[in-house]
Amino acid sequence: MSLSDLPGPVPDPAVVRANTTTALAEPVQRVRSLWVTGVVLVNLGINAAFFGPLQVLLGQQAAHFDDGQKEAILALVTGCGAAVSMVANPLFGAFSDRTTSKYGRRVPWVLMGAILGAVALVALAGAPNVAVMTVLWCLVQAGANGMYAAITAAVPDRVPVAQRGTVGGLAAMGQTVGILVGAVIAAVVAGNFGLGYWLCAAALLAGVVLYLFKSDDEPLAAQDRPPFRIGAFLRGFWVSPKRFPDFSWAWLTRLLVSTGNHMVTLYLLFFLSDAVHLKETEGIDPAFGVLILTGLYAVAVIITSVLGGRLSDRMGKRKPLVIASSAIIAVASLILAFAPTWIGALAGAIVLGIGFGAYLAVDFALITQVLPTALDRGKDLGVINIANSLPQVIAPSIAFPFVAYWGGYVSLYIAAAVIGLLGAVFVVKIKSVA
């Protein structure tokens, strides 16, 4: 790596020599099962490292520092981490776009991100105060988002359009299994969040091994990398809605659906303890309740992500399935709003999984079809992924006053449903994809 590997200007698509270099060519050969497995495992490791802390460990650590302010501490830590991820994802995606390593464009960033994330998780286990906890979680976010930017860009690099729904569904399956692994880790450590962080770090590192050896990542030729100019570099992160309207609508719909979904899951641990009163009514520890709900959610996501992705490829259509799945996600929010019971939570988790599994698979395939240029796949998908990260910043700010002042969890989940439904509505604005 050198300064010449830094992101450069966005070139005119007319002069991108996509037909003269394998790294920039539109893929036409179907990818092998071993390659897909490597991508799935990377996604699994990333999400175990993300969601074990997000669902339980960070909340337990926040309560350890100050039980009376646990919601505010959790909002602070997750909000700062999400702010870092919004920068890290497109930035590292742009770095990977321009990397000319003999190992390919994506592999170096998957490896470096895994190392950074794992080291920060281990250090997080011994954080002495909220400030250090916040900084270390930001480093976890930086490392994991560097990995995610690279592995996400590897899909349009290698997978033909007709196979992307299927691969997107399998990647979503890996993400979901990772969420489940994170929840299992958080549950089995029985409140020992330090041990939980160690296990999450191990999962993160283990997830990258197969991909590192079987990536088939095509190196970028040095002559195909434009020169670095700081002004053009900064401007390159702005994707003009006027020039690329479908890309902009895809970004907005992802933002809205992700915001609604994050509002549902952010305070799940506290919802079970303070609204459902799970310990008192069912004799179930709330952390174990999160594990049960996550397991049901995971099964539903795994089924519908794989089936939805394949169905989308066979139909040759993306938008109808994205709209339908967004509406199902909103229904799950309403179930939680109007049935704040253990049975209601179980039903809500299943419905949320059904909707979100199909959404993850099909919306990802749709997004890869509206990317502006082949040279900037990593950067542009990083910009799209801001729509995944930004809700982690804005959702706590939206959710906290609902919980504390504006009607509690009922009003919170109604608001989440409305926001998610707006995402479904705006999908129809995308014109270049059926």
Side-chain angles (χ1 to χ4, degrees), residues 55 176 261 264-265 268 271-272 289-302 304 328-329 331-337 339 341-357 413:
Q55 287 185 329
T176 306
N261 187 68
V264 171
T265 60
L268 186 58
F271 172 71
L272 292 179
V290 171
L291 175 60
I292 294 172
L293 296 181
T294 304
L296 293 172
Y297 166 89
V299 170
V301 168
I302 289 169
T304 60
I328 293 171
I329 293 169
V331 170
S333 300
L334 295 176
I335 291 173
L336 295 177
T341 64
W342 180 230
I343 297 299
L346 293 171
I350 294 171
V351 174
L352 183 64
I354 290 170
F356 206 60
Y413 291 139

mmCIF file of all heavy atoms in Angstrom, residues 55 176 261 264-265 268 271-272 289-302 304 328-329 331-337 339 341-357 413:
data_model
loop_
_atom_site.group_PDB
_atom_site.id
_atom_site.type_symbol
_atom_site.label_atom_id
_atom_site.label_comp_id
_atom_site.label_asym_id
_atom_site.label_seq_id
_atom_site.Cartn_x
_atom_site.Cartn_y
_atom_site.Cartn_z
ATOM 1 N N GLN A 55 -26.581 -6.328 20.625
ATOM 2 C CA GLN A 55 -27.811 -6.858 21.198
ATOM 3 C C GLN A 55 -27.748 -6.976 22.711
ATOM 4 O O GLN A 55 -28.755 -6.745 23.384
ATOM 5 C CB GLN A 55 -28.132 -8.223 20.586
ATOM 6 C CG GLN A 55 -28.621 -8.136 19.157
ATOM 7 C CD GLN A 55 -29.047 -9.493 18.627
ATOM 8 O OE1 GLN A 55 -28.511 -10.524 19.010
ATOM 9 N NE2 GLN A 55 -30.006 -9.501 17.724
ATOM 10 N N THR A 176 -27.227 -13.420 9.034
ATOM 11 C CA THR A 176 -28.197 -13.792 10.052
ATOM 12 C C THR A 176 -27.657 -14.843 11.005
ATOM 13 O O THR A 176 -27.871 -14.770 12.217
ATOM 14 C CB THR A 176 -29.482 -14.307 9.374
ATOM 15 O OG1 THR A 176 -29.934 -13.315 8.460
ATOM 16 C CG2 THR A 176 -30.555 -14.580 10.399
ATOM 17 N N ASN A 261 -36.117 -0.688 11.042
ATOM 18 C CA ASN A 261 -35.685 -1.966 11.610
ATOM 19 C C ASN A 261 -34.805 -1.765 12.831
ATOM 20 O O ASN A 261 -34.936 -2.470 13.842
ATOM 21 C CB ASN A 261 -34.944 -2.775 10.553
ATOM 22 C CG ASN A 261 -34.606 -4.170 11.024
ATOM 23 O OD1 ASN A 261 -35.460 -5.019 11.219
ATOM 24 N ND2 ASN A 261 -33.314 -4.424 11.222
ATOM 25 N N VAL A 264 -36.661 -0.963 15.929
ATOM 26 C CA VAL A 264 -37.291 -2.138 16.526
ATOM 27 C C VAL A 264 -36.308 -2.902 17.407
ATOM 28 O O VAL A 264 -36.647 -3.348 18.508
ATOM 29 C CB VAL A 264 -37.854 -3.060 15.427
ATOM 30 C CG1 VAL A 264 -38.327 -4.394 16.017
ATOM 31 C CG2 VAL A 264 -39.003 -2.382 14.694
ATOM 32 N N THR A 265 -35.067 -3.070 16.949
ATOM 33 C CA THR A 265 -34.123 -3.964 17.632
ATOM 34 C C THR A 265 -33.254 -3.278 18.685
ATOM 35 O O THR A 265 -32.690 -3.955 19.538
ATOM 36 C CB THR A 265 -33.199 -4.639 16.603
ATOM 37 O OG1 THR A 265 -32.460 -3.632 15.884
ATOM 38 C CG2 THR A 265 -34.002 -5.473 15.612
ATOM 39 N N LEU A 268 -34.329 -3.898 22.363
ATOM 40 C CA LEU A 268 -35.023 -5.168 22.548
ATOM 41 C C LEU A 268 -34.790 -5.752 23.936
ATOM 42 O O LEU A 268 -35.721 -6.256 24.582
ATOM 43 C CB LEU A 268 -34.573 -6.163 21.475
ATOM 44 C CG LEU A 268 -35.304 -7.502 21.447
ATOM 45 C CD1 LEU A 268 -36.806 -7.299 21.263
ATOM 46 C CD2 LEU A 268 -34.737 -8.379 20.330
ATOM 47 N N PHE A 271 -36.837 -3.707 26.245
ATOM 48 C CA PHE A 271 -38.255 -3.941 25.974
ATOM 49 C C PHE A 271 -38.729 -5.205 26.703
ATOM 50 O O PHE A 271 -39.789 -5.213 27.331
ATOM 51 C CB PHE A 271 -38.467 -4.082 24.466
ATOM 52 C CG PHE A 271 -39.850 -4.520 24.061
ATOM 53 C CD1 PHE A 271 -40.940 -3.679 24.173
ATOM 54 C CD2 PHE A 271 -40.054 -5.804 23.543
ATOM 55 C CE1 PHE A 271 -42.214 -4.091 23.796
ATOM 56 C CE2 PHE A 271 -41.318 -6.220 23.160
ATOM 57 C CZ PHE A 271 -42.405 -5.365 23.286
ATOM 58 N N LEU A 272 -37.927 -6.252 26.635
ATOM 59 C CA LEU A 272 -38.312 -7.497 27.297
ATOM 60 C C LEU A 272 -38.309 -7.355 28.815
ATOM 61 O O LEU A 272 -39.141 -7.948 29.503
ATOM 62 C CB LEU A 272 -37.371 -8.627 26.882
ATOM 63 C CG LEU A 272 -37.453 -9.074 25.426
ATOM 64 C CD1 LEU A 272 -36.451 -10.186 25.152
ATOM 65 C CD2 LEU A 272 -38.859 -9.522 25.058
ATOM 66 N N GLY A 289 -34.143 -14.295 26.618
ATOM 67 C CA GLY A 289 -35.274 -13.978 25.753
ATOM 68 C C GLY A 289 -34.810 -13.406 24.423
ATOM 69 O O GLY A 289 -35.370 -13.736 23.366
ATOM 70 N N VAL A 290 -33.789 -12.548 24.472
ATOM 71 C CA VAL A 290 -33.216 -12.013 23.233
ATOM 72 C C VAL A 290 -32.698 -13.155 22.367
ATOM 73 O O VAL A 290 -32.874 -13.170 21.142
ATOM 74 C CB VAL A 290 -32.095 -11.002 23.544
ATOM 75 C CG1 VAL A 290 -31.343 -10.617 22.267
ATOM 76 C CG2 VAL A 290 -32.668 -9.756 24.200
ATOM 77 N N LEU A 291 -32.049 -14.138 22.984
ATOM 78 C CA LEU A 291 -31.536 -15.284 22.248
ATOM 79 C C LEU A 291 -32.668 -16.059 21.571
ATOM 80 O O LEU A 291 -32.566 -16.443 20.401
ATOM 81 C CB LEU A 291 -30.757 -16.201 23.189
ATOM 82 C CG LEU A 291 -30.260 -17.529 22.582
ATOM 83 C CD1 LEU A 291 -29.333 -17.266 21.409
ATOM 84 C CD2 LEU A 291 -29.570 -18.370 23.645
ATOM 85 N N ILE A 292 -33.767 -16.286 22.295
ATOM 86 C CA ILE A 292 -34.899 -17.012 21.720
ATOM 87 C C ILE A 292 -35.475 -16.254 20.528
ATOM 88 O O ILE A 292 -35.707 -16.822 19.448
ATOM 89 C CB ILE A 292 -35.979 -17.250 22.789
ATOM 90 C CG1 ILE A 292 -35.460 -18.187 23.882
ATOM 91 C CG2 ILE A 292 -37.242 -17.829 22.146
ATOM 92 C CD1 ILE A 292 -36.401 -18.319 25.059
ATOM 93 N N LEU A 293 -35.694 -14.958 20.711
ATOM 94 C CA LEU A 293 -36.250 -14.152 19.626
ATOM 95 C C LEU A 293 -35.301 -14.108 18.430
ATOM 96 O O LEU A 293 -35.739 -14.187 17.270
ATOM 97 C CB LEU A 293 -36.543 -12.739 20.112
ATOM 98 C CG LEU A 293 -37.610 -12.592 21.205
ATOM 99 C CD1 LEU A 293 -37.802 -11.122 21.552
ATOM 100 C CD2 LEU A 293 -38.922 -13.218 20.781
ATOM 101 N N THR A 294 -34.022 -13.994 18.722
ATOM 102 C CA THR A 294 -33.043 -13.953 17.645
ATOM 103 C C THR A 294 -33.013 -15.273 16.890
ATOM 104 O O THR A 294 -32.851 -15.301 15.659
ATOM 105 C CB THR A 294 -31.645 -13.623 18.194
ATOM 106 O OG1 THR A 294 -31.700 -12.392 18.909
ATOM 107 C CG2 THR A 294 -30.626 -13.501 17.071
ATOM 108 N N GLY A 295 -33.169 -16.381 17.616
ATOM 109 C CA GLY A 295 -33.193 -17.676 16.964
ATOM 110 C C GLY A 295 -34.379 -17.815 16.018
ATOM 111 O O GLY A 295 -34.232 -18.279 14.870
ATOM 112 N N LEU A 296 -35.566 -17.421 16.466
ATOM 113 C CA LEU A 296 -36.746 -17.474 15.607
ATOM 114 C C LEU A 296 -36.585 -16.548 14.400
ATOM 115 O O LEU A 296 -36.896 -16.918 13.260
ATOM 116 C CB LEU A 296 -37.988 -17.077 16.404
ATOM 117 C CG LEU A 296 -38.423 -18.040 17.511
ATOM 118 C CD1 LEU A 296 -39.546 -17.423 18.330
ATOM 119 C CD2 LEU A 296 -38.861 -19.376 16.921
ATOM 120 N N TYR A 297 -36.112 -15.343 14.665
ATOM 121 C CA TYR A 297 -35.846 -14.378 13.603
ATOM 122 C C TYR A 297 -34.854 -14.949 12.600
ATOM 123 O O TYR A 297 -35.037 -14.859 11.380
ATOM 124 C CB TYR A 297 -35.312 -13.097 14.248
ATOM 125 C CG TYR A 297 -34.675 -12.094 13.323
ATOM 126 C CD1 TYR A 297 -35.432 -11.108 12.702
ATOM 127 C CD2 TYR A 297 -33.300 -12.104 13.101
ATOM 128 C CE1 TYR A 297 -34.841 -10.165 11.879
ATOM 129 C CE2 TYR A 297 -32.703 -11.177 12.282
ATOM 130 C CZ TYR A 297 -33.471 -10.206 11.668
ATOM 131 O OH TYR A 297 -32.878 -9.281 10.849
ATOM 132 N N ALA A 298 -33.800 -15.584 13.121
ATOM 133 C CA ALA A 298 -32.754 -16.113 12.253
ATOM 134 C C ALA A 298 -33.279 -17.218 11.344
ATOM 135 O O ALA A 298 -32.952 -17.261 10.148
ATOM 136 C CB ALA A 298 -31.593 -16.639 13.092
ATOM 137 N N VAL A 299 -34.066 -18.113 11.884
ATOM 138 C CA VAL A 299 -34.623 -19.195 11.065
ATOM 139 C C VAL A 299 -35.471 -18.619 9.937
ATOM 140 O O VAL A 299 -35.360 -19.041 8.771
ATOM 141 C CB VAL A 299 -35.454 -20.159 11.938
ATOM 142 C CG1 VAL A 299 -36.220 -21.141 11.061
ATOM 143 C CG2 VAL A 299 -34.553 -20.916 12.904
ATOM 144 N N ALA A 300 -36.322 -17.640 10.266
ATOM 145 C CA ALA A 300 -37.175 -17.037 9.246
ATOM 146 C C ALA A 300 -36.341 -16.305 8.195
ATOM 147 O O ALA A 300 -36.615 -16.403 6.987
ATOM 148 C CB ALA A 300 -38.165 -16.069 9.899
ATOM 149 N N VAL A 301 -35.317 -15.567 8.624
ATOM 150 C CA VAL A 301 -34.468 -14.840 7.680
ATOM 151 C C VAL A 301 -33.722 -15.801 6.765
ATOM 152 O O VAL A 301 -33.631 -15.587 5.547
ATOM 153 C CB VAL A 301 -33.472 -13.930 8.424
ATOM 154 C CG1 VAL A 301 -32.400 -13.412 7.482
ATOM 155 C CG2 VAL A 301 -34.198 -12.750 9.054
ATOM 156 N N ILE A 302 -33.181 -16.857 7.325
ATOM 157 C CA ILE A 302 -32.430 -17.817 6.515
ATOM 158 C C ILE A 302 -33.313 -18.400 5.417
ATOM 159 O O ILE A 302 -32.906 -18.509 4.250
ATOM 160 C CB ILE A 302 -31.861 -18.933 7.410
ATOM 161 C CG1 ILE A 302 -30.718 -18.376 8.273
ATOM 162 C CG2 ILE A 302 -31.365 -20.106 6.576
ATOM 163 C CD1 ILE A 302 -30.266 -19.322 9.365
ATOM 164 N N THR A 304 -36.279 -17.172 4.133
ATOM 165 C CA THR A 304 -36.795 -16.224 3.143
ATOM 166 C C THR A 304 -35.690 -15.523 2.362
ATOM 167 O O THR A 304 -35.915 -15.102 1.223
ATOM 168 C CB THR A 304 -37.704 -15.177 3.804
ATOM 169 O OG1 THR A 304 -36.976 -14.451 4.801
ATOM 170 C CG2 THR A 304 -38.913 -15.835 4.428
ATOM 171 N N ILE A 328 -44.007 -6.181 5.114
ATOM 172 C CA ILE A 328 -44.036 -7.223 6.146
ATOM 173 C C ILE A 328 -43.230 -6.788 7.370
ATOM 174 O O ILE A 328 -43.635 -7.025 8.521
ATOM 175 C CB ILE A 328 -43.506 -8.548 5.572
ATOM 176 C CG1 ILE A 328 -44.473 -9.090 4.514
ATOM 177 C CG2 ILE A 328 -43.314 -9.585 6.690
ATOM 178 C CD1 ILE A 328 -43.933 -10.272 3.734
ATOM 179 N N ILE A 329 -42.093 -6.123 7.151
ATOM 180 C CA ILE A 329 -41.289 -5.607 8.261
ATOM 181 C C ILE A 329 -42.116 -4.621 9.099
ATOM 182 O O ILE A 329 -42.071 -4.637 10.335
ATOM 183 C CB ILE A 329 -40.012 -4.926 7.725
ATOM 184 C CG1 ILE A 329 -39.083 -5.968 7.091
ATOM 185 C CG2 ILE A 329 -39.282 -4.174 8.839
ATOM 186 C CD1 ILE A 329 -37.930 -5.366 6.312
ATOM 187 N N VAL A 331 -45.338 -4.585 9.460
ATOM 188 C CA VAL A 331 -46.328 -5.358 10.217
ATOM 189 C C VAL A 331 -45.719 -5.892 11.503
ATOM 190 O O VAL A 331 -46.351 -5.894 12.569
ATOM 191 C CB VAL A 331 -46.883 -6.507 9.356
ATOM 192 C CG1 VAL A 331 -47.725 -7.464 10.199
ATOM 193 C CG2 VAL A 331 -47.728 -5.951 8.210
ATOM 194 N N ALA A 332 -44.463 -6.350 11.444
ATOM 195 C CA ALA A 332 -43.793 -6.850 12.639
ATOM 196 C C ALA A 332 -43.692 -5.771 13.713
ATOM 197 O O ALA A 332 -43.889 -6.034 14.908
ATOM 198 C CB ALA A 332 -42.405 -7.372 12.281
ATOM 199 N N SER A 333 -43.390 -4.541 13.300
ATOM 200 C CA SER A 333 -43.320 -3.436 14.262
ATOM 201 C C SER A 333 -44.661 -3.212 14.935
ATOM 202 O O SER A 333 -44.739 -2.968 16.152
ATOM 203 C CB SER A 333 -42.879 -2.152 13.550
ATOM 204 O OG SER A 333 -41.606 -2.300 12.958
ATOM 205 N N LEU A 334 -45.740 -3.300 14.168
ATOM 206 C CA LEU A 334 -47.068 -3.081 14.729
ATOM 207 C C LEU A 334 -47.470 -4.193 15.698
ATOM 208 O O LEU A 334 -48.178 -3.935 16.679
ATOM 209 C CB LEU A 334 -48.096 -2.962 13.598
ATOM 210 C CG LEU A 334 -47.925 -1.742 12.677
ATOM 211 C CD1 LEU A 334 -48.940 -1.779 11.539
ATOM 212 C CD2 LEU A 334 -48.055 -0.439 13.470
ATOM 213 N N ILE A 335 -47.038 -5.402 15.441
ATOM 214 C CA ILE A 335 -47.312 -6.500 16.377
ATOM 215 C C ILE A 335 -46.688 -6.193 17.738
ATOM 216 O O ILE A 335 -47.335 -6.342 18.793
ATOM 217 C CB ILE A 335 -46.790 -7.832 15.821
ATOM 218 C CG1 ILE A 335 -47.613 -8.273 14.607
ATOM 219 C CG2 ILE A 335 -46.827 -8.919 16.907
ATOM 220 C CD1 ILE A 335 -47.064 -9.492 13.901
ATOM 221 N N LEU A 336 -45.448 -5.744 17.734
ATOM 222 C CA LEU A 336 -44.781 -5.400 18.992
ATOM 223 C C LEU A 336 -45.462 -4.213 19.674
ATOM 224 O O LEU A 336 -45.551 -4.160 20.905
ATOM 225 C CB LEU A 336 -43.309 -5.094 18.744
ATOM 226 C CG LEU A 336 -42.441 -6.264 18.247
ATOM 227 C CD1 LEU A 336 -41.021 -5.790 17.980
ATOM 228 C CD2 LEU A 336 -42.438 -7.401 19.249
ATOM 229 N N ALA A 337 -45.936 -3.265 18.868
ATOM 230 C CA ALA A 337 -46.577 -2.084 19.443
ATOM 231 C C ALA A 337 -47.858 -2.441 20.188
ATOM 232 O O ALA A 337 -48.099 -1.947 21.297
ATOM 233 C CB ALA A 337 -46.873 -1.067 18.342
ATOM 234 N N ALA A 339 -49.036 -5.640 20.935
ATOM 235 C CA ALA A 339 -49.032 -6.877 21.730
ATOM 236 C C ALA A 339 -47.717 -6.973 22.496
ATOM 237 O O ALA A 339 -46.894 -7.841 22.213
ATOM 238 C CB ALA A 339 -49.233 -8.094 20.830
ATOM 239 N N THR A 341 -46.318 -8.423 24.775
ATOM 240 C CA THR A 341 -46.296 -9.621 25.607
ATOM 241 C C THR A 341 -45.258 -10.572 25.048
ATOM 242 O O THR A 341 -44.714 -10.359 23.942
ATOM 243 C CB THR A 341 -47.671 -10.315 25.604
ATOM 244 O OG1 THR A 341 -47.955 -10.769 24.268
ATOM 245 C CG2 THR A 341 -48.775 -9.360 26.055
ATOM 246 N N TRP A 342 -44.986 -11.633 25.773
ATOM 247 C CA TRP A 342 -44.021 -12.613 25.287
ATOM 248 C C TRP A 342 -44.522 -13.277 24.005
ATOM 249 O O TRP A 342 -43.753 -13.454 23.053
ATOM 250 C CB TRP A 342 -43.737 -13.641 26.363
ATOM 251 C CG TRP A 342 -42.757 -14.716 25.991
ATOM 252 C CD1 TRP A 342 -42.930 -16.044 26.140
ATOM 253 C CD2 TRP A 342 -41.433 -14.538 25.455
ATOM 254 N NE1 TRP A 342 -41.795 -16.726 25.712
ATOM 255 C CE2 TRP A 342 -40.869 -15.819 25.289
ATOM 256 C CE3 TRP A 342 -40.678 -13.424 25.090
ATOM 257 C CZ2 TRP A 342 -39.593 -16.030 24.781
ATOM 258 C CZ3 TRP A 342 -39.401 -13.616 24.570
ATOM 259 C CH2 TRP A 342 -38.866 -14.899 24.428
ATOM 260 N N ILE A 343 -45.797 -13.615 23.930
ATOM 261 C CA ILE A 343 -46.363 -14.195 22.711
ATOM 262 C C ILE A 343 -46.272 -13.197 21.559
ATOM 263 O O ILE A 343 -45.930 -13.555 20.423
ATOM 264 C CB ILE A 343 -47.831 -14.622 22.940
ATOM 265 C CG1 ILE A 343 -47.905 -15.729 23.998
ATOM 266 C CG2 ILE A 343 -48.451 -15.103 21.624
ATOM 267 C CD1 ILE A 343 -47.162 -16.992 23.642
ATOM 268 N N GLY A 344 -46.586 -11.939 21.850
ATOM 269 C CA GLY A 344 -46.471 -10.917 20.823
ATOM 270 C C GLY A 344 -45.048 -10.753 20.330
ATOM 271 O O GLY A 344 -44.804 -10.581 19.128
ATOM 272 N N ALA A 345 -44.095 -10.808 21.252
ATOM 273 C CA ALA A 345 -42.688 -10.688 20.868
ATOM 274 C C ALA A 345 -42.260 -11.854 19.987
ATOM 275 O O ALA A 345 -41.520 -11.670 19.007
ATOM 276 C CB ALA A 345 -41.813 -10.609 22.116
ATOM 277 N N LEU A 346 -42.722 -13.065 20.316
ATOM 278 C CA LEU A 346 -42.399 -14.238 19.503
ATOM 279 C C LEU A 346 -42.960 -14.091 18.088
ATOM 280 O O LEU A 346 -42.263 -14.333 17.095
ATOM 281 C CB LEU A 346 -42.950 -15.502 20.159
ATOM 282 C CG LEU A 346 -42.323 -15.919 21.499
ATOM 283 C CD1 LEU A 346 -43.122 -17.062 22.120
ATOM 284 C CD2 LEU A 346 -40.872 -16.319 21.318
ATOM 285 N N ALA A 347 -44.220 -13.668 17.996
ATOM 286 C CA ALA A 347 -44.839 -13.481 16.681
ATOM 287 C C ALA A 347 -44.137 -12.369 15.901
ATOM 288 O O ALA A 347 -43.875 -12.498 14.694
ATOM 289 C CB ALA A 347 -46.322 -13.153 16.842
ATOM 290 N N GLY A 348 -43.821 -11.267 16.583
ATOM 291 C CA GLY A 348 -43.137 -10.163 15.918
ATOM 292 C C GLY A 348 -41.784 -10.566 15.375
ATOM 293 O O GLY A 348 -41.389 -10.161 14.270
ATOM 294 N N ALA A 349 -41.036 -11.374 16.117
ATOM 295 C CA ALA A 349 -39.718 -11.820 15.667
ATOM 296 C C ALA A 349 -39.818 -12.658 14.403
ATOM 297 O O ALA A 349 -39.012 -12.515 13.471
ATOM 298 C CB ALA A 349 -39.030 -12.611 16.774
ATOM 299 N N ILE A 350 -40.816 -13.550 14.354
ATOM 300 C CA ILE A 350 -40.987 -14.406 13.176
ATOM 301 C C ILE A 350 -41.370 -13.578 11.953
ATOM 302 O O ILE A 350 -40.786 -13.737 10.866
ATOM 303 C CB ILE A 350 -42.043 -15.486 13.453
ATOM 304 C CG1 ILE A 350 -41.545 -16.450 14.539
ATOM 305 C CG2 ILE A 350 -42.376 -16.256 12.178
ATOM 306 C CD1 ILE A 350 -42.591 -17.409 15.039
ATOM 307 N N VAL A 351 -42.325 -12.678 12.121
ATOM 308 C CA VAL A 351 -42.763 -11.846 10.994
ATOM 309 C C VAL A 351 -41.626 -10.931 10.524
ATOM 310 O O VAL A 351 -41.414 -10.751 9.315
ATOM 311 C CB VAL A 351 -44.005 -11.024 11.383
ATOM 312 C CG1 VAL A 351 -44.395 -10.045 10.267
ATOM 313 C CG2 VAL A 351 -45.174 -11.953 11.681
ATOM 314 N N LEU A 352 -40.891 -10.360 11.480
ATOM 315 C CA LEU A 352 -39.754 -9.512 11.109
ATOM 316 C C LEU A 352 -38.726 -10.301 10.308
ATOM 317 O O LEU A 352 -38.187 -9.810 9.315
ATOM 318 C CB LEU A 352 -39.104 -8.938 12.375
ATOM 319 C CG LEU A 352 -37.936 -7.978 12.163
ATOM 320 C CD1 LEU A 352 -38.390 -6.717 11.445
ATOM 321 C CD2 LEU A 352 -37.274 -7.618 13.498
ATOM 322 N N GLY A 353 -38.460 -11.536 10.718
ATOM 323 C CA GLY A 353 -37.511 -12.362 9.985
ATOM 324 C C GLY A 353 -37.978 -12.690 8.588
ATOM 325 O O GLY A 353 -37.184 -12.679 7.632
ATOM 326 N N ILE A 354 -39.270 -12.981 8.445
ATOM 327 C CA ILE A 354 -39.812 -13.276 7.113
ATOM 328 C C ILE A 354 -39.610 -12.089 6.172
ATOM 329 O O ILE A 354 -39.159 -12.235 5.036
ATOM 330 C CB ILE A 354 -41.305 -13.633 7.221
ATOM 331 C CG1 ILE A 354 -41.475 -14.994 7.915
ATOM 332 C CG2 ILE A 354 -41.959 -13.661 5.841
ATOM 333 C CD1 ILE A 354 -42.909 -15.320 8.268
ATOM 334 N N GLY A 355 -39.943 -10.894 6.652
ATOM 335 C CA GLY A 355 -39.808 -9.714 5.807
ATOM 336 C C GLY A 355 -38.366 -9.320 5.557
ATOM 337 O O GLY A 355 -37.972 -9.038 4.422
ATOM 338 N N PHE A 356 -37.545 -9.327 6.609
ATOM 339 C CA PHE A 356 -36.194 -8.795 6.467
ATOM 340 C C PHE A 356 -35.288 -9.744 5.688
ATOM 341 O O PHE A 356 -34.365 -9.299 5.006
ATOM 342 C CB PHE A 356 -35.599 -8.509 7.845
ATOM 343 C CG PHE A 356 -34.542 -7.441 7.817
ATOM 344 C CD1 PHE A 356 -34.836 -6.163 7.370
ATOM 345 C CD2 PHE A 356 -33.244 -7.705 8.225
ATOM 346 C CE1 PHE A 356 -33.870 -5.166 7.338
ATOM 347 C CE2 PHE A 356 -32.273 -6.721 8.200
ATOM 348 C CZ PHE A 356 -32.587 -5.448 7.751
ATOM 349 N N GLY A 357 -35.538 -11.045 5.757
ATOM 350 C CA GLY A 357 -34.736 -11.985 4.979
ATOM 351 C C GLY A 357 -34.872 -11.744 3.489
ATOM 352 O O GLY A 357 -33.877 -11.617 2.763
ATOM 353 N N TYR A 413 -42.744 1.731 18.290
ATOM 354 C CA TYR A 413 -42.894 0.731 17.246
ATOM 355 C C TYR A 413 -43.885 1.161 16.169
ATOM 356 O O TYR A 413 -43.754 0.749 15.004
ATOM 357 C CB TYR A 413 -43.274 -0.616 17.865
ATOM 358 C CG TYR A 413 -42.143 -1.225 18.675
ATOM 359 C CD1 TYR A 413 -42.382 -1.845 19.892
ATOM 360 C CD2 TYR A 413 -40.830 -1.151 18.223
ATOM 361 C CE1 TYR A 413 -41.345 -2.398 20.638
ATOM 362 C CE2 TYR A 413 -39.786 -1.695 18.956
ATOM 363 C CZ TYR A 413 -40.047 -2.317 20.167
ATOM 364 O OH TYR A 413 -39.014 -2.850 20.894
#
